[in-house]
Amino acid sequence: MADIRKQNFRTVKTDVAELEQKIHKHRKKIVIRIAVLSVLVLVLTASAGIYYNLKEYTGYEVRLEIERSDSEATKYESYAGNILRYNNDGAFYLDASGNLIWNQAFEMQEPAVDICGNYAAVADLRGTQIYIMDTAGTQGEVSTVKPIQAVCVARQGTIAVLTQENGTSYLELYNKSGENLASGQIHITNSGYPLDIALSGDATKLAVSVLDISKGKAQTTVSFYNFASVGQNEIDNMVGTYSYPDTIIPQINFISDNGMLAFGDNRIILFEGAQKPEESFVQEIKEKVKSVFFNTEYYGLVYDAPKSQDSCKAEIYDMKGRLRLEQNFKMSYRDIEFLENHEICIRNENECQIYTLRGVKKFTYEFDDTLYKVFSGGSGRRYTFILDGKMEKVRLK
């Protein structure tokens, strides 16, 4: 039996080299197929990205609608990833879905808000009341003796206040609890009329723009104060003064701890410096500017479009003064601003246009209801529209 069983078997010789070659060819085919598939996916993804980046959306679908019952005087600001709503009767902090986080009741004739990081200051212009808030609620309250002209807040809640009474302007600093830290005065008859103030995010530097017309011509002086150790060695903490003949500078803003933009009627100046800010660049303006808008990375100027069917021309610059975009548009606008994602939103009561920094018109739409505000969402096609009687979270289509 053993011999018979052995006859059913035979020895097969295997060519190891040939087998390894077949395995190698098979693996190579798999690698090629995976590579082709990967390239195809990348091409399709890139094509889809290009398509959506260049596509102009003319409609949207509502993902969430929230009823609004506030007054027409209510204003909205983006604040620490959520929404700050305020009017004459109070301030309300809402999450992205419209849920109330906190509120602060007050009575103000002309409420104005300044925001830096997680802090916000709400002041009654030409009144005497200021509230200092963070994302948890009200942290302090200030009641000034003199009417408020302007207020700025820093990241840790320190505020700078400009007040004016009987020909004299006053500068005051308060901490987040409302306690006075420092104060001083500016005599208008000697130094001119203060137009604006700006406080750095770290609260170490304060700038003041002062208009002087005593010599028959307009001249603006921008002065810097330093409240850190460097400024303590200077008279009245003043560390720099710059004068600009035949120029009015009604708006100054710190765009970083060490950088400040000054918007004049015929020039824009960037000041930079950790201790004593100095001119970094000056951009001369020869045309009449209709609007200025900015964020921490770019600033924009709007002019009438010359000899064109388009009504306006917008120029976008980076913080080195380099032109990034020149865009004409026909829409008659009420507001123009950068959204949180750096897109440019142009709107009036019923129309909205959104452009990317590459000059692509991303969205255009005419609303049936009055449009008050636009916020960009977490993705490229998600936005929030504040409309008459409702807030809509939408996706462009």
Side-chain angles (χ1 to χ4, degrees):
M1 288 295 291
D3 294 337
I4 295 175
R5 285 195 298 268
K6 288 181 179 178
Q7 291 175 2
N8 292 333
F9 295 91
R10 59 177 179 168
T11 303
V12 179
K13 294 183 178 180
T14 302
D15 189 337
V16 177
E18 181 181 356
L19 180 59
E20 290 181 349
Q21 186 176 12
K22 288 181 179 181
I23 294 173
H24 177 72
K25 288 182 178 180
H26 180 68
R27 289 177 176 173
K28 186 176 181 181
K29 287 180 180 180
I30 293 176
V31 171
I32 292 174
R33 288 174 183 173
I34 293 174
V36 171
L37 183 60
S38 299
V39 171
L40 181 60
V41 170
L42 289 174
V43 169
L44 291 175
T45 302
S47 299
I50 293 172
Y51 171 77
Y52 286 116
N53 286 334
L54 298 178
K55 177 179 172 59
E56 179 182 347
Y57 296 92
T58 57
Y60 63 88
E61 57 181 345
V62 179
R63 295 297 182 89
L64 177 65
E65 182 175 310
I66 302 165
E67 183 179 351
R68 289 179 55 232
S69 57
D70 42 38
S71 66
E72 292 186 3
T74 301
K75 297 180 181 180
Y76 292 78
E77 297 293 339
S78 177
Y79 174 38
N82 293 309
I83 298 173
L84 181 64
R85 184 182 80 193
Y86 67 100
N87 54 31
N88 303 79
D89 301 319
F92 309 82
Y93 188 42
L94 313 172
D95 67 17
S97 298
N99 300 310
L100 180 66
I101 299 174
W102 56 253
N103 70 289
Q104 172 64 59
F106 50 67
E107 292 184 5
M108 294 186 181
Q109 295 298 314
E110 191 178 348
V113 166
D114 189 61
I115 295 172
C116 184
N118 288 334
Y119 273 89
V122 184
D124 190 12
L125 298 184
R126 283 170 279 281
T128 59
Q129 195 174 24
I130 304 170
Y131 285 89
I132 306 167
M133 296 100 158
D134 69 2
T135 53
T138 300
Q139 300 301 310
E141 181 180 354
V142 174
S143 293
T144 64
V145 177
K146 308 164 190 66
I148 299 165
Q149 300 297 112
V151 63
C152 299
V153 65
R155 279 193 307 275
Q156 75 276 48
T158 300
I159 63 169
V161 185
L162 175 67
T163 62
Q164 192 273 329
E165 187 178 58
N166 298 328
T168 302
S169 290
Y170 301 83
L171 286 171
E172 297 178 290
L173 288 179
Y174 298 86
N175 65 16
K176 65 180 182 181
S177 300
E179 300 170 345
N180 187 274
L181 300 176
S183 60
Q185 64 183 39
I186 303 173
H187 295 283
I188 295 176
T189 54
N190 297 331
S191 304
Y193 185 82
L195 298 176
D196 199 13
I197 61 172
L199 181 66
S200 63
D202 58 6
T204 62
K205 292 179 285 295
L206 175 69
V208 184
S209 174
V210 177
L211 176 66
D212 182 8
I213 55 174
S214 60
K215 298 180 180 180
K217 291 184 178 181
Q219 173 176 288
T220 299
T221 299
V222 178
S223 300
F224 290 92
Y225 301 84
N226 188 307
F227 301 107
S229 57
V230 171
Q232 294 175 6
N233 299 322
E234 306 290 340
I235 298 175
D236 295 329
N237 295 87
M238 184 178 290
V239 293
T241 299
Y242 300 85
S243 295
Y244 301 94
D246 301 318
T247 302
I248 300 174
I249 302 177
Q251 183 177 353
I252 55 177
N253 300 88
F254 275 94
I255 44 91
S256 68
D257 289 346
N258 302 324
M260 193 196 78
L261 274 177
F263 295 97
D265 60 340
N266 56 18
R267 71 191 70 192
I268 293 175
I269 309 116
L270 176 66
F271 296 91
E272 291 184 302
Q275 304 298 336
K276 299 181 178 182
E278 298 179 350
E279 288 182 354
S280 177
F281 78 81
V282 178
Q283 177 184 347
E284 302 291 341
I285 300 174
K286 298 182 179 180
E287 303 177 58
K288 183 178 180 181
V289 176
K290 296 182 64 174
S291 303
V292 298
F293 57 105
F294 66 96
N295 60 19
T296 58
E297 297 186 33
Y298 305 97
Y299 66 89
L301 310 175
V302 181
Y303 312 92
D304 286 322
K307 298 179 181 180
S308 171
Q309 294 181 353
D310 295 318
S311 59
C312 295
K313 177 183 67 173
E315 293 179 348
I316 309 300
Y317 296 86
D318 63 21
M319 290 305 170
K320 298 296 183 182
R322 296 174 296 206
L323 181 65
R324 293 294 301 272
L325 174 66
E326 186 173 327
Q327 182 68 53
N328 288 359
F329 60 93
K330 296 181 181 180
M331 183 177 145
S332 176
Y333 71 97
R334 182 182 63 186
D335 294 289
I336 181 168
E337 62 184 346
F338 288 109
L339 299 180
E340 295 81 358
N341 58 4
H342 300 309
E343 292 175 344
I344 303 139
C345 179
I346 309 168
R347 58 186 171 85
N348 57 33
E349 290 187 350
N350 297 103
E351 295 178 272
C352 176
Q353 293 180 2
I354 297 176
Y355 290 85
T356 70
L357 282 173
R358 296 187 177 185
V360 176
K361 184 191 285 188
K362 182 176 181 179
F363 177 66
T364 180
Y365 194 80
E366 186 170 349
F367 296 85
D368 294 327
D369 301 305
T370 302
L371 176 67
Y372 294 105
K373 189 73 173 180
V374 176
F375 297 102
S376 59
S379 69
R381 297 168 63 188
R382 297 184 185 276
Y383 295 84
T384 298
F385 297 143
I386 307 297
L387 296 158
D388 188 21
K390 59 187 175 183
M391 180 174 73
E392 293 181 340
K393 295 179 69 65
V394 309
R395 184 174 183 268
L396 304 186
K397 66 175 186 179

